[in-house]
């Protein structure tokens, strides 16, 4: 099992730098931040940009892999995102994972583009978004024509340090999105049941995650992908609750989800208030009793 943490982009850099450095000191394999213009319950609170925050985090650490959780077509264009991703990975010396998602039609959508996209249209756009981003990061020059994106001879030099490109982590719960992950991703991401933001005890989410993992295996088989080559990341906190209640709860959750096939277990850095309210002392104890007691392999 690999362990990760989400650091929300809500602090000015002197404080944020401390959190990213501590994430590395604690022994986390990877750390992520949300790539959104604003976020749900924290819409009126401080919120910084993901790309410069990750660039600074990469420069301030030496072993921690950093990543977007997650970049979407909501307000990212594949060409400019590809340039940012290539640069981030270079600053990080290869320690970067590009987390991607279709977007959920929330606040970011209405701010940037008032068009109301149906779930089918968002899925179609996301498929093109991933395919074009894949080509841009894998080739020195890319020409692409689709229903949502049309680009001509876009140069992308010097290219990624990782060959053939930066690894993708794709968030998906539907069959089409899972097949997209099977074709393009190094990691698949789930946060639990889609469209639900009421955290429930993690024990109650085990059947749903087990069912999702089974459908992911089916998607891999349909695309000719060996299921064992696709890592499975569980993002806890929003739906899968209780994992940071204690060291014992964390250890139990990691074990039980690991038995189902989850390979990467991610929590949120505890906040003093809702959302993700919790104790940093518990996280410190997890670092002491769990993370430093095993040898993790970096993505």
């Amino acid at each position: 099992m690999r362990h990760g943490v989400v650091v929300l982009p809500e602090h000015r850099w002197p404080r944020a730098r401390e959190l990213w450095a501590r994430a590395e000191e604690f022994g986390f394999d990877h750390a992520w931040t949300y790539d959104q213009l604003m976020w749900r319950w924290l819409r009126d609170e401080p919120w910084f940009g993901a790309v410069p925050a990750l660039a600074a985090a990469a420069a301030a650490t030496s072993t921690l892999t950093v990543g977007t959780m997650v970049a979407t077509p909501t307000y990212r264009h594949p060409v400019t995102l590809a340039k940012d991703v290539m640069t981030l990975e270079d600053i990080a010396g290869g320690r970067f994972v590009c987390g991607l998602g279709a977007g959920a039609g929330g606040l970011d959508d209405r701010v940037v583009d008032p068009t109301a996209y149906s779930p089918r249209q968002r899925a179609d756009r996301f498929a093109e978004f991933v395919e074009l981003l894949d080509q841009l990061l894998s080739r020195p020059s890319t020409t692409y024509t689709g229903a949502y994106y049309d680009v001509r001879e876009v140069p992308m030099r010097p290219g990624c340090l990782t060959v053939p490109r930066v690894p993708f982590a794709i968030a998906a719960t539907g069959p089409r999105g899972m097949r997209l992950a099977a074709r393009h991703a190094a990691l698949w991401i789930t946060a639990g049941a889609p469209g639900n933001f009421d955290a429930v005890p993690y024990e109650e989410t085990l059947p749903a995650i087990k069912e999702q993992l089974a459908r992911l295996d089916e998607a891999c088989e349909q695309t000719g992908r060996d299921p064992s080559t696709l890592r499975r990341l569980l993002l806890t906190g929003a739906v899968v609750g209780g994992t940071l209640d204690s060291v014992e709860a964390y250890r139990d959750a990691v074990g039980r989800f690991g038995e189902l096939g989850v390979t990467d277990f991610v929590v949120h850095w505890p906040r003093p208030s809702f959302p993700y309210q919790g104790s940093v002392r518990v996280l410190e104890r997890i670092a002491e009793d769990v993370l430093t007691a095993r040898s993790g392999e970096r993505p």
Side-chain angles (χ1 to χ4, degrees), residues 134-156:
D134 178 28
Q135 293 183 26
L136 287 164
L137 292 169
S138 303
R139 304 173 180 178
S141 180
T142 296
T143 295
Y144 181 96
T145 300
Y148 294 90
Y149 302 105
D150 189 345
V151 303
R152 292 286 178 273
E153 298 179 0
V154 178
M156 197 64 58

Side-chain angles (χ1 to χ4, degrees), residues 47-100:
W47 196 263
F48 292 94
V51 169
L54 287 170
T61 57
S62 59
T63 61
L64 189 69
T65 292
V66 300
T68 49
M69 185 69 77
V70 287
T72 77
T74 296
Y75 74 102
R76 295 290 188 193
H77 188 282
V79 171
T80 52
L81 178 61
K83 184 68 74 170
D84 285 344
V85 165
M86 183 183 70
T87 305
L88 276 171
E89 193 220 18
D90 189 66
I91 294 170
R95 297 176 291 112
F96 180 76
V97 176
C98 184
L100 302 169

Side-chain angles (χ1 to χ4, degrees), residues 26 251 286-296:
F26 282 0
R251 184 182 285 113
I286 289 169
E288 294 167 0
D289 298 348
V290 180
L291 302 185
T292 60
R294 48 97 216 187
S295 56

Side-chain angles (χ1 to χ4, degrees), residues 83-242:
K83 184 68 74 170
D84 285 344
V85 165
M86 183 183 70
T87 305
L88 276 171
E89 193 220 18
D90 189 66
I91 294 170
R95 297 176 291 112
F96 180 76
V97 176
C98 184
L100 302 169
L107 296 173
D108 283 6
D109 293 54
R110 295 198 293 273
V111 167
V112 176
D113 182 358
T115 304
Y117 292 100
S118 68
R120 175 62 180 270
Q121 288 173 321
R122 285 201 301 270
D124 290 343
R125 181 180 63 172
F126 184 52
E128 284 193 16
F129 181 80
V130 173
E131 291 165 1
L132 176 52
L133 192 62
D134 178 28
Q135 293 183 26
L136 287 164
L137 292 169
S138 303
R139 304 173 180 178
S141 180
T142 296
T143 295
Y144 181 96
T145 300
Y148 294 90
Y149 302 105
D150 189 345
V151 303
R152 292 286 178 273
E153 298 179 0
V154 178
M156 197 64 58
R157 298 181 178 88
C160 297
L161 296 173
T162 305
V163 178
R165 58 155 169 76
V166 166
F168 289 172
I170 294 181
T173 54
R176 185 177 179 187
M178 287 183 173
R179 289 194 297 272
L180 195 67
R183 286 194 296 271
H184 294 284
L187 298 92
W188 164 78
I189 300 172
T190 183
N196 179 17
F197 291 94
D198 295 321
V200 298
Y202 65 85
E203 301 95 328
E204 298 180 18
T205 69
L206 287 162
I209 300 301
K210 181 178 181 180
E211 192 270 338
Q212 287 183 357
L213 290 167
R215 289 192 284 112
L216 184 66
D217 285 343
E218 293 176 1
C220 286
E221 293 169 1
Q222 292 168 0
T223 57
R225 173 85 176 261
D226 178 354
S228 68
T229 66
L230 180 59
R231 286 161 47 197
R232 295 109 195 277
L233 185 154
L234 175 63
L235 176 63
T236 68
V239 179
V240 180

